[in-house]
Amino acid sequence: MSADAATGRTWWRWALAAVIVAVAAAVALWPQFTRHDDGNAATGSTPAAPTEPAVAEADRAAAALAACPQPTGAPVGDSPLRGLTLNCLADGKPVDLVAALAGKPALLNLWAYWCGPCAEELPLLQRFSQQAGNALTVLTVHSDPGTSRALSRLIDLGVHLPGVEDSNAKVRTAVHAPAVLPISVLLRADGTVAKVVVRPFTSVEDISATVAAELGVKA
């Protein structure tokens, strides 16, 4: 074999080796070029939103909360809460807030399981609700993701008012209330806001007087 032939075969071997190395490198890097900077596949998928832990039906049953109100078809005004749907604490089912409350005045009480003043106020609200009867709806709005802890807190307090879970504080945001608790939102019969009370009620008489002054409901 001539020296030129031997040199040619050596060149082809090196060329073939270089091609193999290049292909291997391309295969290794391929996933990086087919994913976005956020680590999602190039199909445009996004990470699933974190979900709240499931609430055991036994916990809901133990709380023995009153059922959430249901829509009656009553007319609804220009309420900032219009279209807002939250899950009922009693059974986990969605509640169209304004549609369910329309037809009579309502008191929405924003609270959380860790809030001390809320724990003092909630029993007062239950007593007031019993006193008001069908003249007005009292609905609690748990403004924290800890649904199971909310149910446990209500059991400890002996409070069985209907309530909804508002883990993202949508009600507070909608009525432009400050980031404090408790807050009470007084709604007229058409769902419009009559008053946002940014303080805890101190007695049943305090609740009655405020509701009478802002909603015209005497209880």
Side-chain angles (χ1 to χ4, degrees):
M1 181 182 295
S2 67
D4 289 343
T7 300
R9 291 182 63 182
T10 300
W11 183 88
W12 278 109
R13 287 174 182 170
W14 280 108
L16 180 59
V19 170
I20 292 172
V21 171
V23 170
V27 171
L29 293 173
W30 179 259
Q32 298 183 29
F33 292 115
T34 58
R35 300 178 74 86
H36 300 299
D37 290 339
D38 59 4
N40 299 318
T43 55
S45 61
T46 55
T51 56
E52 296 176 20
V55 179
E57 290 303 316
D59 291 343
R60 296 190 192 277
L65 301 182
C68 289
Q70 297 298 313
T72 62
V76 174
D78 186 18
S79 172
L81 303 177
R82 190 167 186 167
L84 182 58
T85 298
L86 300 173
N87 290 337
C88 182
L89 286 175
D91 56 17
K93 295 180 179 179
V95 177
D96 183 324
L97 210 54
V98 175
L101 294 172
K104 60 181 176 181
L107 186 161
L108 306 186
N109 181 252
L110 282 56
W111 71 288
Y113 71 87
W114 41 261
C115 168
C118 302
E120 297 177 4
E121 184 182 54
L122 283 166
L124 301 177
L125 287 165
Q126 174 147 308
R127 287 165 52 194
F128 169 75
S129 178
Q130 294 168 343
Q131 183 174 299
N134 292 326
L136 175 138
T137 300
V138 177
L139 184 76
T140 69
V141 181
H142 186 245
S143 306
D144 183 275
T147 305
S148 293
R149 293 183 179 185
L151 294 171
S152 178
R153 188 62 161 158
L154 292 172
I155 292 171
D156 292 342
L157 295 172
V159 171
H160 305 287
L161 291 167
V164 292
E165 174 62 45
D166 186 11
S167 58
N168 294 315
K170 293 179 179 179
V171 172
R172 178 176 60 77
T173 301
V175 300
H176 304 291
V180 297
L181 291 173
I183 290 173
S184 290
V185 182
L186 304 183
L187 301 180
R188 303 180 184 92
D190 64 354
T192 55
V193 177
K195 180 76 172 182
V196 177
V197 182
V198 188
R199 64 174 180 84
F201 289 117
T202 57
S203 65
V204 174
E205 292 72 24
D206 182 14
I207 303 172
S208 298
T210 304
V211 167
E214 302 298 338
L215 295 175
V217 176
K218 295 182 179 181

